[in-house]
Amino acid sequence: MGDAVRTSRTDTRAAIVEAAASVLREKGPGAVTTRGVAERAGVQAPTIYRLFGDKDGLLEAVAEYVMAAFVADKASRVAAAAATELDPLDDLRASWRKQIEFGLANPAIFRLLSDPDRVRESPAARRGKQILETRVRRLAAAGRLRVPEPHAVDLIQAAGIGTIQTLLATTEEQRDPILGEAMMDAVLGRILTDAPTQTPDGPLPAAIALRAHAPHLETFSEPERRLLVEWLDRIADPAGTNATTTPAASPHPPQRHT
């Protein structure tokens, strides 16, 4: 009996979230009322208050639902890119375009998840960042990065958020059609070497590339891997600006399709 009740509750919650997502997509956040969503979902309005607390709680659940679906698609794409050995730069560019398209197609969701407090509490947002880290690591492993991985991730995220915000603040008729590509080019110019065999940057690209592989080097013991990572981090980031965000080596690192 308990399982049946839990299943019914889950199904009801999913129906309400899907109904609210449809209203949000079609008419914007102002149209997401408890009465309207309840009618579309085929439930009583008090059910929404019982499950979500209030309208804000419902909107947060909708944002997480839509973002989770988008992130799941990103995860499958990065896994396919790694499996087929797709050029990591082509993969990153394609992901960037998808992110911009998603933000423009879902302005209400984007604005909800632009709130730093909501982002910190969002499993989908955290998973999305992990997928970006995977893409950046593929670039590092190919010898293409001239900056530490965490710095590259931060630059890409900041540029993406800023690009979407700028485009959403502009009417569709006045939007710069090449702004997204121009921003991507600007970021890539900052984080990439000119080619995998470039040498003017000295040992930096090689150190960053080896750093990407270091957690998987079974030739070394765990303490040796950690020491190697520390040395490589010093080469890649001598000022230690990314010391707190750089993951330590592990004999069995989390599997993220790397």
Side-chain angles (χ1 to χ4, degrees), residues 96 152 155-157 159-160 182-192:
W96 170 272
L155 282 173
I156 295 168
Q157 275 203 317
M183 284 298 294
M184 180 83 275
D185 288 341
V187 172
L188 293 178
R190 174 70 180 87
I191 68 175
L192 294 185

Side-chain angles (χ1 to χ4, degrees), residues 127-252:
R127 178 60 179 146
K129 185 173 183 180
Q130 290 173 353
I131 293 169
L132 175 57
E133 291 169 347
T134 295
R135 287 191 158 101
V136 169
R137 178 147 297 178
R138 291 187 69 227
L139 281 171
R144 297 303 312 272
L145 282 189
R146 69 164 80 232
V147 300
E149 291 177 42
H151 185 55
V153 169
D154 288 346
L155 282 173
I156 295 168
Q157 275 203 317
I161 293 170
T163 297
I164 295 170
Q165 287 178 333
T166 299
L167 291 172
L168 287 177
T170 309
T171 62
E172 289 191 40
E173 297 78 16
Q174 295 179 324
R175 286 176 186 169
D176 183 348
I178 65 169
L179 179 63
E181 293 300 311
M183 284 298 294
M184 180 83 275
D185 288 341
V187 172
L188 293 178
R190 174 70 180 87
I191 68 175
L192 294 185
T193 59
D194 291 336
T197 57
Q198 184 194 26
T199 57
D201 286 328
L204 186 57
I208 293 172
L210 183 55
R211 173 63 177 81
H213 293 287
H216 309 283
L217 296 176
E218 298 295 337
T219 303
F220 300 111
S221 66
E222 181 179 356
E224 289 171 336
R225 280 192 293 270
R226 291 184 179 278
L227 184 58
L228 176 61
V229 165
E230 180 181 345
W231 288 342
L232 293 170
D233 282 344
R234 287 188 197 175
I235 297 172
D237 184 27
T241 55
N242 291 291
T244 59
T245 58
T246 303
S250 168
H252 300 292

Side-chain angles (χ1 to χ4, degrees), residues 79-136:
T84 60
E85 298 185 352
L86 177 67
D87 182 272
L89 181 53
D90 291 342
D91 181 38
L92 180 62
R93 280 190 178 277
S95 175
W96 170 272
R97 295 184 187 111
K98 287 285 184 182
Q99 188 72 41
I100 302 300
E101 291 171 3
F102 174 82
L104 297 181
N106 299 274
I109 300 298
F110 173 78
R111 292 187 176 106
L112 281 170
L113 290 177
S114 292
D115 181 338
D117 292 332
R118 281 195 172 101
V119 169
R120 279 192 290 270
E121 298 299 321
S122 168
R126 290 196 296 272
R127 178 60 179 146
K129 185 173 183 180
Q130 290 173 353
I131 293 169
L132 175 57
E133 291 169 347
T134 295
R135 287 191 158 101
V136 169

Side-chain angles (χ1 to χ4, degrees), residues 29-53:
V32 181
T33 64
T34 53
R35 177 179 296 179
V37 172
E39 289 178 356
R40 183 170 293 205
V43 300
Q44 298 297 315
T47 303
I48 293 179
Y49 291 106
R50 188 174 71 252
L51 293 176
F52 302 96

